[in-house]
Amino acid sequence: LAMIDAYGRNRNCRDRNLMGFSLSPIKLEELQKPFTRWDASQALGERSNKDNRHLAYLSVIPSSWGAAYWSDRWQEFADFFDHRIKPPFFDHQAEAMSKETAKGNYDNLILTPKELQIPDSRSNLWPWSWKRFLIDFMYARGLVMIYPSLPQEEGFATTLALVGAHVWSKSSRIAANPRITTLIEDFELPETGIFPAYGDLAVFGLHLEPTTREDLASKGAEFL
């Protein structure tokens, strides 16, 4: 609520490239192989210990592990999604045959027309994934989300890690999944109004490389 109050209490005072607020941090770089652990406090370096900048950062990567999206932005995405899952932008047969085609190696998949593939992104190979299309949507428009960066990488939301498409067994579902966030139990802002200006927040790109909002907008425009 403090971040919403600081960066977008309503659509008239928010930055136009803000998609929403994540309730959990990014902990894994999974849009290129090999997947690698990522810690915002380490990426922020000295900034993480100065002026409370460690409390928030921006990324073009959407959050699927607990998030609040602006309703008008989400409606824009919903309209985009309705068109994106229709031919010629979507190959229903390729999606239906994805498991058989992949045979354990997703690199064999061709799910998206070449012209619509996000550069160097594993999301192009995620069958039946709504997040794949949200990445398309945000990348092409240079949109960002605000993420929390709290001590010990804690968050305000996490996954139940139920066995399913992304969790294969109960015995290893917690230890083997670096994405899982520990819920914060007690958190108080040291003082009111401590968040830096929106334009001063650190920004991270598709592969969690340091970047700027202007560069993200330029890459999105170039992609389109």
Side-chain angles (χ1 to χ4, degrees):
L1 290 176
M3 283 199 294
I4 292 175
D5 184 62
Y7 299 121
R9 64 184 67 182
N10 60 60
R11 69 179 63 180
N12 295 320
C13 69
R14 73 173 189 232
D15 191 271
R16 64 181 182 179
N17 73 343
L18 181 60
M19 181 76 183
F21 300 81
S22 177
L23 301 177
S24 58
I26 299 174
K27 298 182 64 179
L28 188 70
E29 203 293 85
E30 55 184 327
L31 292 181
Q32 64 180 359
K33 281 192 171 182
F35 298 163
T36 55
R37 276 282 283 118
W38 190 80
D39 185 334
S41 63
Q42 295 180 11
L44 291 169
E46 293 182 359
R47 297 185 67 176
S48 66
N49 298 315
K50 183 180 180 182
D51 300 328
N52 293 306
R53 292 177 186 269
H54 64 288
L55 293 177
Y57 58 92
L58 302 173
S59 177
V60 70
I61 301 173
S63 172
S64 59
W65 293 67
Y69 290 95
W70 292 106
S71 59
D72 57 329
R73 281 295 193 193
W74 188 262
Q75 187 57 57
E76 291 175 13
F77 169 64
D79 293 340
F80 167 84
F81 181 82
D82 286 342
H83 287 85
R84 183 66 175 78
I85 60 173
K86 296 176 182 177
F89 316 114
F90 186 84
D91 189 332
H92 286 271
Q93 183 175 4
E95 300 279 340
M97 298 291 291
S98 58
K99 286 187 178 180
E100 181 178 343
T101 303
K103 296 179 179 178
N105 184 359
Y106 275 53
D107 292 334
N108 295 328
L109 295 180
I110 301 177
L111 302 176
T112 299
K114 183 177 180 180
E115 295 77 11
L116 299 180
Q117 293 182 7
I118 301 300
D120 302 316
S121 177
R122 293 288 300 177
S123 62
N124 297 316
L125 307 176
W126 293 350
W128 302 109
S129 171
W130 66 269
K131 188 175 179 179
R132 160 179 148 211
F133 302 121
L134 187 51
I135 290 174
D136 292 358
F137 178 80
M138 290 182 59
Y139 180 86
R141 290 160 178 76
L143 302 178
V144 294
M145 293 199 71
I146 291 182
Y147 281 86
S149 179
L150 303 173
Q152 288 76 54
E153 299 180 282
E154 293 178 319
F156 300 102
T158 191
T159 176
L160 296 175
L162 300 176
V163 175
H166 301 292
V167 179
W168 295 282
S169 68
K170 292 183 179 180
S171 61
S172 62
R173 65 185 183 182
I174 301 297
N177 198 333
R179 305 175 186 85
I180 294 177
T181 298
T182 301
L183 289 176
I184 193 166
E185 295 183 359
D186 185 24
F187 178 68
E188 293 184 6
L189 294 175
E191 58 182 274
T192 59
I194 53 82
F195 289 105
Y198 183 80
D200 292 334
L201 290 172
V203 185
F204 297 96
L206 199 64
H207 300 302
L208 299 174
E209 74 283 3
T211 185
T212 64
R213 290 181 294 124
E214 292 76 15
D215 187 53
L216 291 177
S218 176
K219 287 182 177 179
E222 181 180 352
F223 174 73
L224 291 176

